[in-house]
Amino acid sequence: MARRTGDRAAAEGTPRTAPDGTPLSAEQSAVLDLIDSTREHVFVTGRAGTGKSTLLETFIASTERSVVVCAPTGVAALNVGGQTIHSLFRLPIGLIADHDLDDPPAELRRLLASVDTIVIDEVSMVSADLMDAIDRRLRRARSRPAEPFGGAQLVMFGDPYQLAPVPGRGEGERAYYADHYRSIWFFDARVWQQADLRIIELQAIHRQHDADFRAMLTAVRHGTVTPEIGWALNEAGQRPAPEGTLTLATTNATVTRINADALRRLPGEPKTARADIAGEFGPRGGYPADEELQLKVGAQVMFLRNDTSGDGTPRWVNGTLGTVERIGRTVHVEVDGESHEVLPATWEKYRYTYSSATKRLSKDVVAEFTQFPLRLAWAVTIHKSQGSTYDRAIIDLGPRAFAPGQTYVALSRLRALEGLHLVRPLRPSDIIVDDDVRRFMAEAEPGIGRAVAQSV
């Protein structure tokens, strides 16, 4: 997999504006210029809070190219207004290996042939096998068998230090990966032996402003925590947490127990809001909110999407915490001393189609999920806290952290060290970094992958 250095030209473009009107940094503008002005395959990564999601949203909103957006899971696809990878490319679930793929139907051929750029969000969850299957599907559908991805551009977003692909199911799948790939990760797919991949690691962190805390998080991310850093984190985390502080936990069972116990302690009977589901939305595990949401007055809740009222400054964003004040046909939630009426929100599931008559790619709504954009939030899993920012949180790693990047994800949700509260002290065994990620990112050291981000 060859990686080419960038030049300063991309960094000299005009700064752009995000869809919400926020000016982009010079670094973000430089990356967008690179993506939009070349046909290179690009992987945009970076520490938590560096603006990867903002870049993705801005590229989709501003590019004049024909673009489709996809992600490895249903929830991730909903978050970016795209399709799942398996749905978009009509790929079977599970290990695909070297099995022949069915000939793509005519409408899929037309769709994929019309695309200039394919955006994959949360690409760190994509396996090497699935990446190779995407390549095979595109070569066949676009009738360009000699070109990686059939000549289409891939633009990928994600952080392998935070989210990993699901391990192979069973000994057979794990043995297949061991025999055929260097690792299960997307970056070890065979297609990258034929295609160049530009790796850009964003440098500017927008979530934390304290340099010392940023340095601590970087050490946790890379597994270079010194005794001094460990002591500072544990010293800060031993303070008692204020009543109602959100808990970030490793398992669904812990989160369910904390939320159920807290709801039970409130007076009165819970009111239940049932989601309205239209069309084939998919399995429950892919729902963006609870199918049955139980609330009481006084319940602590988290918003699950940004305010879309369009009245200027958003009243809340995805991850904002509040307290239920009144429940009727709508729900009134207090946020930072101000009461807001919350209406049900609709999440739309999309499918891309191509019209031969108009010669245009379109994105059609095929299912809708309507529910109040709220979740009980005395506790949330570390996994579901991805992308959120909190002023303070209790971090409960249970007996031990069990996944690479888990501790880093939890700690990096916080704006400042002062907001950290630990159920138990951190131990060296809680800092887990995948060796294949270390190797991949080491190969992208300055001089072969990060020139664009570094030149601004």
Side-chain angles (χ1 to χ4, degrees):
M1 172 169 44
R3 301 180 182 84
R4 296 170 293 187
T5 57
D7 55 35
R8 189 170 293 269
E12 296 174 352
T14 303
R16 302 191 189 183
T17 302
D20 64 1
T22 304
L24 299 186
S25 67
E27 176 185 58
Q28 291 171 321
S29 294
V31 176
L32 279 177
D33 288 342
L34 169 73
I35 294 170
D36 222 4
S37 64
T38 74
R39 302 291 298 180
E40 292 190 49
H41 306 302
V42 180
F43 172 44
V44 180
T45 187
R47 290 165 286 180
T50 50
K52 296 183 293 295
S53 296
T54 299
L55 268 177
L56 186 154
E57 293 167 4
T58 307
F59 172 67
I60 295 168
S62 63
T63 186
E64 296 182 359
R65 292 180 176 176
S66 176
V67 175
V68 294
V69 187
C70 57
T73 68
V75 172
L78 286 173
N79 289 339
V80 292
Q83 279 186 250
T84 64
I85 290 171
H86 289 87
S87 169
L88 175 63
F89 293 101
R90 310 280 181 92
L91 295 171
I93 301 296
L95 183 68
I96 299 171
D98 295 322
H99 299 150
D100 289 336
L101 298 175
D102 294 337
D103 283 336
E107 65 271 18
L108 182 60
R109 282 181 179 272
R110 289 193 293 268
L111 167 65
L112 296 180
S114 72
V115 172
D116 298 318
T117 302
I118 295 158
V119 174
I120 304 179
D121 194 26
E122 303 292 11
V123 71
S124 63
M125 298 179 69
V126 174
S127 69
D129 173 68
L130 183 55
M131 182 61 67
D132 278 335
I134 293 170
D135 171 51
R136 290 162 57 198
R137 175 64 87 203
L138 284 166
R139 292 185 196 226
R140 186 76 171 268
R142 294 167 66 89
S143 300
R144 298 167 78 171
E147 293 187 59
F149 304 110
Q153 178 193 34
L154 254 66
V155 178
M156 301 168 286
F157 294 82
D159 183 6
Y161 285 105
Q162 294 189 56
L163 286 174
V166 177
R169 289 173 291 185
E171 292 185 8
E173 288 193 14
R174 287 191 286 272
Y176 179 86
Y177 276 107
D179 287 345
H180 292 81
Y181 289 104
R182 191 171 181 181
S183 79
I184 193 175
W185 292 86
F186 79 95
F187 48 73
D188 281 327
R190 289 190 288 267
V191 64
W192 300 121
Q193 297 170 17
Q194 303 174 43
D196 292 337
L197 176 62
R198 174 74 70 89
I199 304 165
I200 299 173
E201 183 170 19
L202 301 173
Q203 303 296 309
I205 299 175
H206 306 283
R207 179 175 296 155
Q208 294 90 18
H209 300 290
D210 179 77
D212 289 339
F213 188 43
R214 289 202 302 263
M216 292 178 191
L217 293 178
T218 298
V220 174
R221 183 175 191 249
H222 293 285
T224 57
V225 175
T226 63
E228 292 76 17
I229 291 175
W231 181 89
L233 290 170
N234 285 329
E235 179 73 10
Q238 70 179 354
R239 294 164 300 177
E243 184 71 24
T245 299
L246 173 72
T247 295
L248 304 182
T250 56
T251 65
N252 284 313
T254 300
V255 167
T256 299
R257 173 181 54 78
I258 292 172
N259 284 331
D261 288 348
L263 188 67
R264 193 179 305 113
R265 288 194 296 269
L266 294 174
E269 292 297 316
K271 302 290 181 65
T272 301
R274 291 177 173 81
D276 182 16
I277 305 171
E280 295 297 323
F281 207 88
R284 283 190 172 89
Y287 289 170
D290 292 337
E291 185 178 9
E292 294 189 353
L293 173 64
Q294 290 197 330
L295 296 175
K296 290 183 181 180
V297 172
Q300 182 163 293
V301 291
M302 177 187 297
F303 286 87
L304 299 179
R305 62 187 299 171
N306 296 344
D307 175 27
T308 56
S309 63
D311 298 330
T313 304
R315 297 168 294 173
W316 59 77
V317 297
N318 184 16
T320 295
L321 297 176
T323 303
V324 175
E325 290 185 319
R326 189 162 79 250
I327 304 171
R329 296 182 65 86
T330 60
V331 179
H332 288 256
V333 177
E334 181 268 320
V335 177
D336 294 332
E338 188 173 352
S339 181
H340 301 291
E341 182 181 24
V342 182
L343 304 176
T346 298
W347 286 263
E348 296 174 328
K349 183 176 181 179
Y350 296 99
R351 180 175 299 142
Y352 290 98
T353 57
Y354 177 76
S355 169
S356 298
T358 63
K359 309 297 184 186
R360 294 182 65 86
L361 183 72
S362 63
K363 191 169 70 170
D364 306 315
V365 177
V366 295
E368 294 181 338
F369 182 100
T370 302
Q371 177 61 287
F372 290 102
L374 301 169
R375 172 188 289 139
L376 292 177
W378 287 280
V380 65
T381 62
I382 293 170
H383 181 79
K384 288 183 177 177
S385 74
Q386 287 276 342
S388 296
T389 302
Y390 308 118
D391 291 327
R392 60 170 45 89
I394 300 168
I395 295 178
D396 182 0
L397 295 175
R400 63 181 179 87
F402 56 82
Q406 200 168 50
T407 301
Y408 171 66
V409 171
L411 293 172
S412 61
R413 299 309 96 198
L414 296 168
R415 295 185 190 275
L417 184 62
E418 290 72 24
L420 173 63
H421 305 276
L422 295 169
V423 169
R424 63 160 176 81
L426 297 174
R427 299 188 288 260
S429 59
D430 294 320
I431 313 299
I432 309 171
V433 182
D434 188 283
D435 287 338
D436 290 302
V437 173
R438 289 184 198 267
R439 180 253 307 167
F440 171 67
M441 294 305 294
E443 293 175 357
E445 283 300 325
I448 53 174
R450 301 177 184 168
V452 172
Q454 289 188 330
S455 64
V456 297

